[in-house]
């Protein structure tokens, strides 16, 4: 346990030396002046470093171990990129600089857009969305705008499978569209007949993750996207699972009209404990005119930032996107090249299928219908009957030194354990994880308390989430000073 | 085999054998042949670390903006970033962790967010804060949507003295056709016209959104705006500059219901606009309406203090179409930069940064007004930023200053051809300010 930073505070301490004021002072008018102390801690740099380093040691990270968090593509993040994004000439640049003084950044943005178009099979890109969910919003608004422009503004329904990521329905609501849920068939794929019966004159768009959230490729994808096109809608691909498809299949070649990419997943930019990500959106020529403000064009006078609204759906952020993240994604694609990118997906698929094959004797894999893609969903339903929940299994994995898979998602699988190894894990670390999973399966039968009591080897024991809500404490209470 | 893939041919064959297929292509059977990519992607061939480093240094050399002495703000500010921040941010444990879904192995991230929430709440004068938003502008838009949920009214008033980019983002976020956005004009003093706001609020509105200090640097009367909108049963959303709050009163203490803003000035590189981080704080009555992640303190099974993501029933992964927002990934690492910045500067240092920004921008302002033909556009107290009218084109002046090594203030064509908005942070020295004013003076003399 580590004290809070406020508990190290003592008046007069400071962690950074500032230059002495070298201009005359101007009085701050009394009516505007801040009346009370802010309540910030007062510590030295050494105390601050010790505090944050101690905190860091209570985190698990990809650089410490295997992180098979399904749908999150926790792959290794190259260290070179941290250096590149911090080069002064790239980091110390004001966002409202004249184009002629930021040609380097604009060139990277332009080239990254081109690379992403090639990878996805699309024609145009916006790099503005800050994360996948914002990319989804941009994508749906593009489609909505297109429908409006062609006099089909009444179309207010988004179809999506019942296995969709939570952001898909939430984004639809934000875009003012109604969610129509499409059933999954017994293998976890879109029930094509159900889709056909629900697509119609109110269909604005269809949102699909492919491979889907069960890690299964939608084999009827051409028929699916055609059903939507025939009904007058456009197809949106949630690119969260793009790590399965690099150099193998392109969204644009499957009948999709627009997709977002999670640069912080597939293109290896670090997740930073929850962000920043980047949800770049790629689309067909048809939708280019509606892209958000802040796109880069190449002209005879150099690269230009097109920073105006026009027919655009608008602006998602004040400036031009998570540019520092874009630098890293560009460097990643440049490091790998076409063969390297395809190898990423090939090995991601082999690793996932290997894990599925080895774990299947011990954990049920519902919806198993031949090879999975880059991830698969196991179920702890059998163990739940013995009184050990999937949550317990996840916590026990922490004791074994691994991060847990994604649990309880997708909701269509009972006690779901969604496992994604990624391509950057070695056979040795994958085997070690599988051995731990098998050991836990045995513990469930022989010593279930070891699992239900877990974790015990972590900085804290299992935390009480109910108490957190009941006795809500979101900030450190102010000490009774003065 | 790339440097990121440890399983080479030998391991792959061994694994394919366990899977029970003869070759990799057998794993692709679920993918119809007709959609397979024929041939390989048309991408540049791989670059080594050395080559990439050279390429990036070349890009950096093309960014002459990074060498200019910066007097431009308008939403992004050139502050000093203490070196200790990057030391922490690049630690594997913070940099390469995912969202803290498994709390027991994420206490570092969770406790630092708890401390961040505390500092943001204290800085803004509110009861609670969330774990952060994408940036200041999207935070404003989310705050407007939050007010709509809380009041069940579908109309908002937006100050015309709000950063126009933020107004764009509000329109984009609220562009689904369900909502009405009315802009409240600003007066000749550059302050929001409260009488006009009063009239526009007739019939009920969800919120009045204003900026403090506003886009032009003028210091709005938050208390009067709060009283006004509360009479109409609406909420006051204030978009505040965090550094300014080191010297001017916290909006939460002046009646603001939701305080949002851009966290970039607190230890985050300008980086051509991102990644930045938005903050959001509110009072106890409204905190369950907040979007985004929130961390709460609790106990483990042995009674030890610990931290978890809490109030998750507001969020998309549980509430789906009925969630308070679609936000999932946020800008956590930048929020960590904020909390380290606020820790290192601390009470004394942060206030000192705020005071130096006040004094230096006023010094710059006063020196400019001594220059031939330069006048004030608004004659009210300002903080952080101000607008002057040059006797020459502001665009041309900015171009000329670029050649002299300065990133001049932002031309403001909406306020006139000569209007320019400027700022000076604690990083600017007297010598730099004097040099800039002199260069500007010379340019004006030559041009008039």
């Amino acid at each position: 346990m580590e004290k809070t930073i406020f508990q190290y505070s003592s008046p007069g301490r400071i962690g950074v030396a500032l230059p002495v004021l070298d201009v005359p002072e101007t009085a701050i008018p009394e009516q505007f002046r801040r009346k009370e102390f802010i309540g910030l801690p007062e510590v030295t740099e050494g105390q601050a470093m010790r505090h944050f380093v101690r905190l860091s040691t209570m985190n698990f990270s990809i650089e410490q171990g295997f992180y098979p968090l399904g749908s999150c593509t926790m792959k290794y993040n190259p260290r070179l990129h941290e250096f590149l994004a911090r080069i002064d000439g790239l980091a110390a640049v004001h966002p409202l600089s004249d184009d002629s003084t930021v040609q380097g950044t604009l060139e990277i943005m332009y080239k990254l857009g081109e690379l992403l178009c090639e990878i996805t099979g699309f024609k145009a890109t916006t790099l503005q969305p800050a994360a996948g969910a914002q990319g989804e919003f941009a994508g749906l608004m593009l489609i909505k705008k297109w429908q409006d422009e062609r006099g089909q503004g009444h179309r207010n329904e988004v179809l999506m499978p019942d296995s969709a990521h939570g952001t898909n329905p939430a984004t639809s609501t934000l875009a003012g569209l109604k969610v129509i849920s499409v059933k999954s068939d017994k293998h976890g794929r879109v029930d094509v007949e159900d889709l056909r019966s629900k697509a119609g004159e109110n269909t604005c768009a269809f949102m699909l993750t492919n491979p889907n959230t069960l890690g299964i490729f939608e084999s009827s994808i051409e028929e699916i996207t055609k059903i939507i096109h025939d009904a007058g809608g456009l197809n949106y691909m949630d690119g969260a699972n793009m790590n399965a498809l690099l150099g193998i299949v392109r969204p644009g070649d499957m009948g999709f009209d627009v997709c977002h990419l999670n640069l912080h997943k597939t293109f290896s930019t670090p997740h930073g404990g929850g962000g920043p990500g980047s949800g770049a959106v790629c689309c067909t020529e048809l939708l280019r005119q509606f892209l958000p403000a802040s796109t880069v064009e190449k002209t005879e006078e150099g690269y230009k930032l097109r920073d105006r609204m026009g027919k655009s759906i608008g602006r998602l952020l004040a400036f031009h996107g998570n540019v520092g993240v874009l630098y890293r994604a560009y460097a990643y694609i440049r490091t790998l090249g076409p063969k390297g990118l395809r190898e990423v997906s090939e090995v991601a698929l082999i690793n996932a299928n290997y894990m599925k094959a080895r774990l299947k004797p011990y954990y049920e894999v519902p919806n198993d219908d031949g090879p999975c893609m880059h991830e698969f969903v196991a179920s702890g339903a059998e163990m739940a009957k013995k009184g050990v929940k999937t949550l317990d299994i996840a916590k026990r994995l922490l004791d074994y030194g691994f991060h847990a898979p994604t649990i309880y998602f997708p909701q269509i699988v009972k006690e779901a354990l969604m496992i994604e190894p990624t391509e950057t894990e070695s056979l040795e670390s994958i085997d070690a994880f599988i051995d731990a999973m098998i050991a836990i399966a045995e513990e469930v039968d022989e010593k279930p308390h070891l699992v239900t009591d877990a974790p015990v080897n972590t900085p804290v024991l299992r935390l009480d989430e109910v108490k957190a809500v009941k006795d809500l404490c979101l900030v450190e209470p102010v000490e009774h000073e003065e | 085999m790339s440097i990121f893939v440890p399983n080479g041919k030998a391991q792959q064959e061994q694994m394919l054998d366990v899977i029970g297929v003869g070759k990799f292509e057998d794993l692709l059977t679920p993918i119809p042949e007709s959609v397979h990519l024929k041939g390989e992607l048309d991408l540049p061939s791989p670059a080594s670390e050395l080559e990439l480093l050279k390429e990036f240094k070349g890009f950096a050399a093309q960014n002459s903006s990074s060498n200019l002495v910066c007097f431009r703000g308008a939403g992004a500010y050139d502050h000093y970033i203490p070196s200790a921040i990057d030391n922490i941010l690049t630690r594997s444990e913070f940099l390469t962790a995912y969202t803290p879904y498994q709390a027991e192995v994420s206490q570092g991230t969770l406790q630092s967010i708890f401390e961040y929430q505390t500092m943001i709440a204290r800085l803004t004068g509110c009861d609670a804060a969330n774990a952060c938003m994408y940036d200041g502008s999207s935070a404003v838009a989310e705050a407007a949507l939050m007010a709509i949920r809380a009041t069940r009214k579908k109309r908002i008033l937006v100050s015309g003295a709000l950063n126009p980019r933020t107004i764009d983002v509000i329109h984009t976020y609220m562009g689904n056709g369900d909502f009405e956005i009315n802009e409240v004009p600003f007066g000749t003093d550059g302050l929001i016209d409260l009488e006009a706001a009063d009239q526009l609020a007739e019939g009920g509105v969800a919120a009045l959104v204003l900026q403090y200090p506003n886009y032009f640097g003028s210091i709005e009367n938050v208390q009067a705006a709060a009283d006004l909108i509360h009479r109409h049963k609406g909420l006051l959303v204030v978009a505040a500059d965090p550094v300014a709050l080191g010297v001017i009163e916290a909006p939460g203490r002046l009646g603001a219901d939701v305080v949002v803003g851009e966290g970039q000035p607190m230890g985050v590189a300008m980086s051509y606009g991102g990644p930045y981080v938005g903050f959001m704080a509110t009072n106890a009555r409204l905190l369950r309406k907040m979007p985004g992640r929130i961390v709460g303190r609790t106990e483990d099974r042995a009674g030890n203090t610990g931290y978890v993501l809490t109030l998750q029933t507001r969020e998309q992964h549980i509430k789906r179409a009925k969630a308070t927002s679609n936000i999932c990934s946020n800008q956590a690492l930048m929020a960590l930069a904020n909390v380290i910045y606020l820790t290192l500067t601390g009470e004394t240092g942060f206030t000192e940064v705020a005071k130096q920004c006040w004094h230096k921008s006023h010094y710059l302002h006063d020196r400019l007004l001594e220059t031939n033909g330069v006048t004030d556009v608004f004659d009210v107290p300002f903080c952080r930023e101000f607008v002057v009218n040059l006797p020459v084109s502001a665009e041309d002046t900015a171009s000329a200053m670029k050649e002299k090594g300065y990133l001049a203030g932002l031309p403001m064509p909406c306020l006139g051809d000569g209007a320019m908005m400027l700022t000076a942070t604690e990083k600017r020295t007297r010598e730099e300010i004097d040099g800039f004013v002199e260069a500007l003076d010379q340019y004006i003399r030559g041009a008039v």
Side-chain angles (χ1 to χ4, degrees):
Chain A
M1 231 177 20
E2 168 66 359
K3 295 195 287 188
T4 67
I5 191 67
F6 305 98
Q7 290 168 308
Y8 290 105
S9 180
S10 178
R13 288 179 184 153
I14 188 165
V16 61
L18 295 162
V20 176
L21 184 70
D22 60 355
V23 302
E25 294 193 12
T26 306
I28 302 162
E30 188 55 32
Q31 84 250 42
F32 299 122
R33 193 192 290 269
R34 186 168 182 125
K35 301 296 183 299
E36 288 173 42
F37 289 112
I38 302 167
L40 296 178
E42 296 180 82
V43 298
T44 61
E45 181 183 304
Q47 288 180 299
M49 287 303 289
R50 190 172 283 174
H51 172 68
F52 288 106
V53 169
R54 279 181 180 163
L55 285 185
S56 77
T57 64
M58 294 193 269
N59 265 8
F60 188 87
S61 69
I62 190 69
E63 285 186 354
Q64 287 161 279
F66 191 21
Y67 217 124
L69 198 62
S71 191
C72 299
T73 314
M74 288 299 284
K75 59 169 76 176
Y76 176 69
N77 312 126
R79 278 284 160 179
L80 168 67
H81 302 179
E82 295 313 305
F83 180 80
L84 297 179
R86 285 175 172 79
I87 297 175
D88 225 27
L90 296 174
V93 177
H94 194 283
L96 300 177
S97 296
D98 188 82
D99 287 350
S100 67
T101 64
V102 286
Q103 285 295 298
T105 292
L106 293 179
E107 185 175 346
I108 297 173
M109 291 172 73
Y110 180 81
K111 286 182 166 169
L112 178 61
E114 299 261 284
L115 298 176
L116 296 179
C117 280
E118 171 61 17
I119 290 166
T120 56
F122 285 120
K123 296 290 182 206
T125 303
T126 172
L127 301 171
Q128 196 176 40
Q134 213 184 31
E136 291 173 23
F137 178 59
L140 280 190
M141 293 304 276
L142 289 175
I143 296 174
K144 206 176 165 203
K145 184 98 178 180
W146 175 77
Q147 297 282 19
D148 281 347
E149 290 275 318
R150 66 184 197 113
Q152 294 287 306
H154 68 278
R155 290 174 177 266
N156 65 344
E157 293 178 354
V158 188
L159 280 61
M160 64 185 70
D162 50 13
S163 60
H165 291 123
T167 49
N168 292 179
T171 299
S172 304
T173 301
L174 183 61
L177 297 167
K178 202 169 118 193
V179 176
I180 306 291
S181 186
V182 178
K183 278 187 243 165
S184 302
D185 69 15
K186 66 177 191 300
H187 299 303
R189 294 190 170 91
V190 171
D191 182 329
V192 175
E193 291 320 308
D194 193 47
L195 175 71
R196 201 188 306 278
S197 72
K198 286 170 177 166
E201 59 185 22
N202 289 326
T203 301
C204 177
F206 178 57
M207 282 183 110
L208 181 66
T209 309
N210 194 22
N212 65 26
T213 58
L214 291 154
I216 298 173
F217 192 87
E218 295 284 352
S219 302
S220 308
I221 189 60
E222 290 168 293
E223 188 182 358
I224 289 169
T225 52
K226 185 168 185 305
I227 289 170
I228 297 300
H229 282 156
D230 288 348
L234 292 184
N235 294 295
Y236 181 93
M237 187 173 115
D238 178 330
N241 292 344
M242 193 66 199
N243 210 48
L245 305 182
L246 300 171
I248 297 173
V249 192
R250 306 191 302 175
D253 299 337
M254 291 188 274
F256 287 102
D257 303 281
V258 52
C259 80
H260 82 260
L261 298 169
N262 300 86
L263 300 186
H264 51 290
K265 296 179 182 175
T266 316
F267 298 95
S268 193
T269 72
H271 207 281
S278 173
V281 169
C282 303
C283 66
T284 58
E285 196 56 50
L286 190 68
L287 298 172
R288 181 198 291 272
Q289 57 183 325
F290 308 124
L291 286 175
S294 291
T295 51
V296 182
E297 286 166 2
K298 190 178 181 180
T299 72
E300 286 185 0
E301 297 92 57
Y303 297 96
K304 298 266 178 215
L305 182 75
R306 189 186 65 91
D307 192 25
R308 57 174 185 270
M309 303 289 277
K311 277 194 163 182
S312 142
I313 57 160
R315 201 183 287 285
L316 300 162
L317 300 172
F319 299 113
H320 327 300
N322 281 342
V323 178
V325 176
L326 306 179
Y327 295 149
R328 293 167 171 90
Y330 175 82
Y332 181 72
I333 299 170
R334 288 284 292 114
T335 300
L336 289 176
K339 288 193 176 63
L341 277 184
R342 179 167 167 119
E343 185 189 39
V344 162
S345 291
E346 286 191 3
V347 178
L349 262 62
I350 294 172
N351 288 353
N353 278 285
Y354 174 80
M355 292 185 77
K356 178 161 74 92
R358 280 209 58 201
L359 281 174
K360 225 181 145 179
Y362 306 92
Y363 292 82
E364 188 193 354
V365 180
N367 314 99
D368 189 18
D369 176 36
C372 64
M373 299 299 284
H374 67 306
E375 66 186 359
F376 64 99
V377 179
S379 167
E382 284 303 312
M383 284 137 182
K385 286 179 195 156
K386 301 171 192 163
V388 178
K389 296 189 298 265
T390 284
L391 179 71
D392 301 319
I393 296 168
K395 298 302 181 194
R396 186 61 178 151
L397 273 168
L398 307 180
D399 279 340
Y400 279 89
F402 298 99
H403 198 276
T406 295
I407 51 173
Y408 299 108
F409 183 82
Q411 286 140 328
I412 59 169
V413 175
K414 280 185 190 144
E415 301 286 323
L417 284 151
M418 186 197 243
I419 301 172
E420 179 181 10
T422 85
E423 74 285 358
T424 62
E425 286 310 316
S426 67
L427 177 56
E428 300 91 305
S429 71
I430 288 171
D431 277 337
F433 176 81
I434 291 167
D435 291 345
M437 286 289 283
I438 294 171
I440 293 170
E442 286 164 3
E443 285 174 356
V444 169
D445 287 328
E446 290 156 21
K447 298 170 186 162
H449 66 277
L450 288 181
V451 188
T452 52
D453 287 349
V456 293
N457 299 334
T458 46
V460 288
L461 303 180
R462 199 177 301 191
L463 290 156
D464 188 344
E465 294 190 7
V466 176
K467 179 181 164 60
V469 175
K470 193 161 59 85
D471 305 329
L472 205 59
C473 174
L474 310 182
V475 296
E476 180 89 318
V478 181
E479 298 295 318
H480 296 288
E481 298 158 44
E482 280 103 35
Chain B
M1 193 161 67
S2 88
I3 53 168
F4 308 135
V5 175
N7 290 339
K9 282 290 164 240
Q11 289 90 3
Q12 289 178 26
E13 274 168 27
Q14 191 186 334
M15 294 168 91
L16 289 168
D17 201 41
V18 173
I19 297 166
V21 296
K23 55 184 189 305
F24 166 73
E25 283 67 28
D26 296 341
L27 296 179
L28 299 183
T29 48
I31 306 178
E33 191 62 39
S34 48
V35 297
H36 278 241
L37 179 68
K38 312 291 180 285
E40 66 181 33
L41 291 168
D42 182 14
L43 300 173
S45 32
S48 68
E49 175 158 347
L50 179 63
E51 288 162 322
L52 213 47
L53 193 57
K54 279 185 189 159
E55 188 180 340
F56 268 75
K57 285 191 170 163
F59 290 135
Q62 297 288 309
N63 279 355
S64 57
S65 177
S66 64
N67 300 318
L68 303 178
V69 178
C70 182
F71 291 97
R72 191 165 288 190
Y77 300 88
D78 181 25
H79 289 284
Y80 182 68
I81 301 173
S83 11
I85 293 180
D86 255 359
N87 266 282
I88 298 294
L89 295 193
T90 53
R91 274 190 75 90
S92 312
E93 300 89 338
F94 283 125
L95 183 72
T96 74
Y98 203 78
T99 302
Y101 292 137
Q102 292 295 338
E104 294 83 1
V105 289
S106 308
Q107 287 299 295
T109 295
L110 288 161
Q111 185 174 330
S112 66
I113 295 173
F114 180 84
E115 293 174 2
Y116 165 85
Q117 289 174 178
T118 303
M119 291 187 201
I120 294 298
R122 291 181 181 186
L123 186 60
T124 55
C126 293
D127 298 326
N130 74 6
C132 83
M133 310 301 291
Y134 299 136
D135 78 338
S137 286
S138 62
V140 176
E142 290 271 19
L145 289 168
M146 173 180 160
I148 283 167
R149 282 193 300 278
T151 61
R152 297 171 187 274
K153 291 178 191 138
K154 296 203 161 189
R155 191 164 66 99
I156 63 157
L157 304 184
V158 171
S159 160
L162 201 63
N163 186 327
R165 289 170 174 273
T166 303
I167 296 179
D168 287 349
V169 175
I170 294 172
H171 278 275
T172 306
Y173 265 72
M174 297 176 67
N176 71 21
D178 276 355
F179 309 113
E180 191 183 340
I181 304 165
N182 300 142
E183 202 164 306
V184 184
F186 57 88
T188 50
D189 53 3
L191 295 168
I192 182 174
D193 182 342
L194 288 176
E195 271 178 38
D198 201 23
Q199 283 168 17
L200 280 166
E202 284 300 329
V205 289
L208 168 62
V209 183
L210 59 79
Q211 192 172 332
Y212 169 78
N214 73 22
Y215 184 52
F216 313 118
S218 306
I219 309 172
E220 299 283 5
N221 187 339
V222 174
Q223 186 72 62
D227 294 345
L228 181 160
I229 199 68
H230 291 157
R231 277 201 304 278
H232 291 279
K233 308 268 187 272
L235 301 177
L236 183 67
V237 174
V238 173
D241 176 79
V243 171
L245 299 187
V247 283
I248 61 174
E249 187 56 285
R253 293 189 199 277
L254 297 170
D257 300 286
V258 190
V259 184
V260 284
E262 175 53 64
Q264 180 273 329
M266 301 184 285
V268 177
M270 290 193 291
S271 189
Y272 198 58
Y276 289 177
V277 52
F279 61 81
M280 176 180 279
T282 190
N283 56 41
R285 191 169 58 86
L286 289 168
L287 66 90
R288 283 178 168 77
K289 305 281 182 194
M290 267 200 293
R293 298 196 170 109
I294 299 174
V295 170
R297 182 182 270 162
T298 186
E299 286 176 359
D300 73 2
R301 281 179 173 174
N304 298 310
T305 298
Y307 302 86
V308 292
L309 292 173
T310 193
L311 299 178
Q312 293 192 75
T313 52
R314 300 162 300 110
E315 293 187 68
Q316 49 78 26
H317 60 286
I318 294 177
K319 271 288 169 63
R320 299 178 73 85
K322 293 194 167 65
T324 54
S325 166
N326 69 336
I327 192 168
C328 182
S329 282
N330 54 29
Q331 307 279 117
L333 198 69
M334 280 42 240
L336 179 63
N338 284 172
V339 75
I340 303 168
Y341 181 84
L342 291 170
T343 298
L344 290 170
T345 53
E347 186 75 31
T348 322
F350 186 73
T351 311
E352 177 64 19
V353 169
K355 281 180 184 162
Q356 291 212 9
C357 291
W358 175 280
H359 296 312
K360 287 177 177 177
S361 55
H362 279 83
Y363 176 71
L364 170 66
H365 169 262
D366 295 351
R367 288 288 329 265
L368 283 171
L369 285 196
E370 291 164 10
T371 306
N372 213 5
V374 178
T375 54
D376 259 327
V377 171
F378 305 116
D379 190 21
V380 288
F382 68 85
C383 177
R384 184 70 145 163
E385 236 158 337
F386 60 90
V387 188
V388 291
N389 202 21
L390 308 176
V392 289
S393 151
E395 286 281 359
D396 293 348
T397 308
S399 293
M401 290 301 103
K402 186 176 74 188
E403 304 307 321
K404 301 274 182 198
Y406 299 103
L407 181 60
L410 188 71
M412 303 282 279
C414 62
L415 297 175
D417 187 46
M420 179 180 274
M421 182 161 76
L422 301 107
T423 186
T425 66
E426 88 289 354
K427 247 177 104 172
R428 295 288 75 82
T429 62
R430 183 173 190 154
E431 200 183 337
E432 287 170 338
I433 296 172
D434 290 344
F436 173 69
V437 172
E438 203 168 298
L440 193 100
D441 186 38
Q442 264 179 21
Y443 174 73
I444 292 173
R445 282 170 201 277
V448 177

